[in-house]
Amino acid sequence: AQSVTQLGSHVSVSEGALVLLRCNYSSSVPPYLFWYVQYPNQGLQLLLKYTTGATLVKGINGFEAEFKKSETSFHLTKPSAHMSDAAEYFCAVRSYNQGGKLIFGQGTELSVKP
Amino acid sequence: EAGVAQSPRYKIIEKRQSVAFWCNPISGHATLYWYQQILGQGPKLLIQFQNNGVVDDSQLPKDRFSAERLKGVDSTLKIQPAKLEDSAVYLCASSQRTGGSNSPLHFGNGTRLTVT
């Protein structure tokens, strides 16, 4: 069975500092991996996805993530945090041999201090 | 393109009452998902439709939850009777294809249910 673990339920950074949100996955088959962001009282918005090919994936709002098969990781980074980045972030793995359902991690809340 | 529409946005009911949520997916999206998001947790899949057929309902509490997607477009999710632990945000999502596809899921804004 596939699963996702996000390390740290809360991360706090200063404005302008590096953002690093950690995600590790478990999958018996090559996975599709996603990062979603959720602002208060809103649905989830896709930040970026990894399917095949280049392991460094760039997304919206300056975020990027690197797929590392040897470490079963897909950490999300942004060089310089902005106040508007404060939100909940979810890592997810897609199971294409189980009907394609998306399995989410428990989420990491990002706070950005001025 | 218009996004995934959900209604209502908020609902407060007493335990043992019934409630229904409605979802209209993005036009042309064959696959529709209902997720339950309890406060502080990631979304959990309740049911997945491919057109009007059920692909996965393994985590749907079938003694109280039901869902349908007539005509393969709109969908409704019903809870009857509701329990306190059903308090959560119910998210609807849609995608163009399923199984073997990297089509991303597009989410609605959700319905926040409070059971008192």
Side-chain angles (χ1 to χ4, degrees):
Chain A
Q2 296 180 315
S3 65
V4 175
T5 301
Q6 291 184 239
L7 302 177
S9 58
H10 292 90
V11 171
S12 182
V13 300
S14 297
E15 192 172 19
L18 171 71
V19 175
L20 171 60
L21 304 183
R22 299 178 187 274
C23 172
N24 287 89
Y25 69 91
S26 171
S27 177
S28 58
V29 296
Y32 295 147
L33 295 162
F34 302 80
W35 275 99
Y36 281 84
V37 60
Q38 186 177 35
Y39 298 100
N41 297 315
Q42 294 187 25
L44 281 73
Q45 179 183 3
L46 180 67
L47 273 179
L48 48 80
K49 65 179 181 179
Y50 168 78
T51 54
T52 58
T55 56
L56 182 62
V57 180
K58 295 186 183 300
I60 63 172
N61 302 338
F63 284 93
E64 61 183 35
E66 186 171 10
F67 170 61
K68 292 186 176 180
K69 184 178 179 180
S70 61
E71 299 177 7
T72 61
S73 69
F74 191 57
H75 301 331
L76 181 71
T77 61
K78 182 174 181 177
S80 176
H82 191 273
M83 296 296 291
S84 61
D85 295 327
E88 187 91 20
Y89 292 80
F90 293 94
C91 182
V93 60
R94 189 144 195 201
S95 161
Y96 63 75
N97 61 348
Q98 294 179 29
K101 70 181 181 183
L102 206 56
I103 299 168
F104 287 90
Q106 73 273 29
T108 298
E109 182 179 1
L110 176 66
S111 300
V112 182
K113 300 174 293 187
Chain B
E1 65 181 2
V4 176
Q6 290 189 248
S7 66
R9 285 300 311 274
Y10 306 93
K11 190 73 177 179
I12 300 174
I13 62 172
E14 295 181 352
K15 60 184 180 184
R16 291 187 290 273
Q17 287 186 323
S18 63
V19 65
F21 313 127
W22 173 81
C23 173
N24 183 258
I26 292 174
S27 178
H29 280 195
T31 309
L32 185 146
Y33 311 79
W34 283 102
Y35 280 84
Q36 180 192 56
Q37 186 178 18
I38 294 173
L39 186 64
Q41 299 181 21
K44 181 185 80 172
L45 180 70
L46 291 176
I47 189 167
Q48 176 184 344
F49 292 95
Q50 175 74 8
N51 297 310
N52 60 350
V54 175
V55 174
D56 185 343
D57 64 356
S58 58
Q59 297 194 81
L60 185 74
K62 299 179 185 63
D63 58 332
R64 298 184 299 106
F65 286 65
S66 64
E68 60 182 10
R69 191 184 183 197
L70 299 177
K71 301 180 181 178
V73 182
D74 293 8
S75 178
T76 56
L77 176 69
K78 297 179 181 178
I79 308 175
Q80 182 179 14
K83 293 185 176 181
L84 295 177
E85 58 261 36
D86 298 332
S87 294
V89 175
Y90 291 84
L91 295 165
C92 180
S94 68
S95 68
Q96 289 184 315
R97 293 180 297 276
T98 189
S101 166
N102 58 25
S103 298
L105 273 64
H106 299 264
F107 285 84
N109 286 331
T111 295
R112 182 178 298 275
L113 174 67
T114 302
V115 182
T116 62

